[in-house]
Amino acid sequence: MLAVMRASVWFLGMSAFAALTAALWLGCGDDPAGPGGGGGAGTGTSTGSGASGGSGTTPTCGTDSPAALGACVETSRYVADLTALEGPRSSGDPLHQAARDLCASRFTEHGFQVEMHDYGSGVNVIGVRPGASDQRILVSAHYDGVPGCAAADDNASGVAGLLETARILGSAPAFDKTLVVACWDEEELGLVGSRAYAQRASQIGEAIAGHYVFEMIGYFDDSPGAQSLPFGFELVFPEEAKIVTDNQSRGDFLAIIGDDSFATGIERLDHYCDVFGLSGLGLTLSADQKNDPLYGDLQRSDHAPFWEQGFPALHMTDTSEFRYGAYHCGDGEDVKENLDHGFATKVIQATVAATAELLGPS
């Protein structure tokens, strides 16, 4: 995740607080005080498998419904890719090139048409699975990292989630819309790679109907006091702040930040969070808000360049330094041993299912 003003990360600086009225609680799960993620070695006190909530029996793997496709996510595959990607991945690091190559080889393996989008200072890896329609649904993650940091959560977790998404949806029955998967370069240098693609997409008239961005999906800590909020948050979002504090400030939810042109995508992700047992806290921004410089702290990931071009998009995050002290290796190493793989699995499951529904059957 791009580092800007540390005082307010996935919400707003105080200068913009008074203007924002479009906050909402995404009810991904019925009981935010319930047991949290499992399957990983995070520092929390998790006692279950996945975050709290859920609306019934967990689906079984298959191809007959979006939920069944989501159930095909395999934690072991995600962890294997996370392990392969962990390590310094800034430009010039051997693992930076290796991560790029892994994206390209996996997309090819799963049947996507692959483009190495060289925009000058970096290279995006783009995979396309054509549908019956030219309308496109994107799922993406950035593969670069900050210098000298293992960058497991930021953003090896997101890339590993993307590769698992590509595996499942690449072999699914034909879709109506076209699926695009993308590994962005140079996010940490200012969203450079995703901005190059979004600008090109606007220039050539790509019909982007929605965009899901994985940005740090691995850290979960349901210990009381694990989750902090930006200064002044409770003054503007008293209901949302109360939800967090009533839950003893546990870091057991997925933050979802989107714009109102992607309301359907937000609602579908919300629905499948509930199916797979996640809790979520989200913000929806209006057309005026999403590109306003006052909201810069909500524009810190690869969804933002798509907002700039008028495309609908959202990003999912574990909230970065408001939960995770090792963000950018600031207070310890950002390594996979810190992460909760059960939590990440649920995030990927919900995203796969939501994406499949948006793509629609052919």
Side-chain angles (χ1 to χ4, degrees):
M1 177 179 281
L2 178 67
V4 292
M5 299 170 61
R6 185 178 176 89
S8 52
V9 53
W10 41 278
F11 298 106
L12 298 175
M14 286 299 293
S15 60
F17 271 175
L20 182 58
T21 60
L24 70 155
W25 170 255
L26 293 180
C28 308
D30 301 322
D31 177 15
T43 59
T45 57
S46 56
T47 58
S49 57
S52 61
S55 59
T57 303
T58 302
T60 57
C61 177
T63 60
D64 59 331
S65 71
L69 286 168
C72 294
V73 172
E74 296 182 18
T75 303
S76 61
R77 291 178 182 269
Y78 162 79
V79 173
D81 287 336
L82 177 68
T83 301
L85 290 160
E86 182 184 30
R89 296 185 308 282
S90 60
S91 182
D93 288 327
L95 196 54
H96 180 260
Q97 180 67 53
R100 179 188 300 168
D101 293 343
L102 181 63
C103 289
S105 64
R106 289 295 183 79
F107 292 169
T108 299
E109 176 185 347
H110 300 316
F112 291 84
Q113 301 170 0
V114 175
E115 175 196 4
M116 306 303 287
H117 174 216
D118 187 336
Y119 53 85
S121 62
V123 179
N124 297 321
V125 185
I126 312 298
V128 179
R129 182 187 175 185
S133 165
D134 289 336
Q135 284 199 316
R136 294 184 165 206
I137 300 294
L138 275 66
V139 186
S140 75
H142 74 88
Y143 68 90
D144 64 313
V146 294
C149 181
D153 196 26
D154 187 13
N155 189 34
S157 67
V159 177
L162 175 65
L163 296 179
E164 184 64 355
T165 300
R167 180 185 72 84
I168 295 165
L169 296 181
S171 60
F175 294 116
D176 176 54
K177 295 183 180 69
T178 293
L179 171 62
V180 179
V181 290
C183 292
W184 307 122
D185 200 358
E186 296 187 316
E187 188 267 1
E188 299 291 1
L189 298 181
L191 316 178
V192 180
S194 56
R195 179 166 286 114
Y197 181 93
Q199 290 174 343
R200 185 185 74 169
S202 179
Q203 292 166 359
I204 66 178
E206 280 189 15
I208 297 176
H211 182 190
Y212 285 133
V213 178
F214 288 119
E215 175 68 76
M216 300 182 65
I217 63 168
Y219 192 74
F220 176 102
D221 188 346
D222 63 359
S223 302
Q227 184 71 48
S228 62
L229 296 173
F231 176 75
F233 177 81
E234 72 282 357
L235 301 178
V236 180
F237 306 123
E239 293 182 6
E240 290 75 16
K242 187 174 187 299
I243 289 169
V244 176
T245 56
D246 283 355
N247 191 33
Q248 298 182 297
S249 297
R250 301 174 190 269
D252 61 356
F253 59 86
L254 177 70
I256 303 171
I257 302 167
D259 72 299
D260 58 6
S261 71
F262 200 27
T264 299
I266 295 169
E267 191 278 329
R268 288 294 83 197
L269 184 60
D270 176 24
H271 169 71
Y272 287 110
C273 283
D274 187 63
V275 169
F276 290 104
L278 283 168
S279 295
L281 185 69
L283 296 174
T284 298
L285 276 69
S286 71
D288 291 334
Q289 293 164 343
K290 66 183 181 182
N291 293 320
D292 190 324
L294 292 176
Y295 297 81
D297 290 331
L298 293 177
Q299 301 160 9
R300 283 180 55 180
S301 190
D302 291 306
H303 61 300
F306 289 81
W307 285 356
E308 292 168 2
Q309 301 300 325
F311 295 127
L314 67 78
H315 93 285
M316 301 160 279
T317 177
D318 59 23
T319 77
S320 185
E321 65 261 44
F322 282 92
R323 180 183 307 171
Y324 187 41
Y327 164 69
H328 283 184
C329 293
D331 183 14
E333 291 297 309
D334 179 9
V335 292
K336 65 179 182 297
E337 287 77 14
N338 296 340
L339 306 184
D340 189 299
H341 310 318
F343 176 71
T345 297
K346 301 289 187 183
V347 175
I348 304 163
Q349 288 175 322
T351 305
V352 167
T355 303
E357 183 162 333
L358 293 178
L359 289 166
S362 176

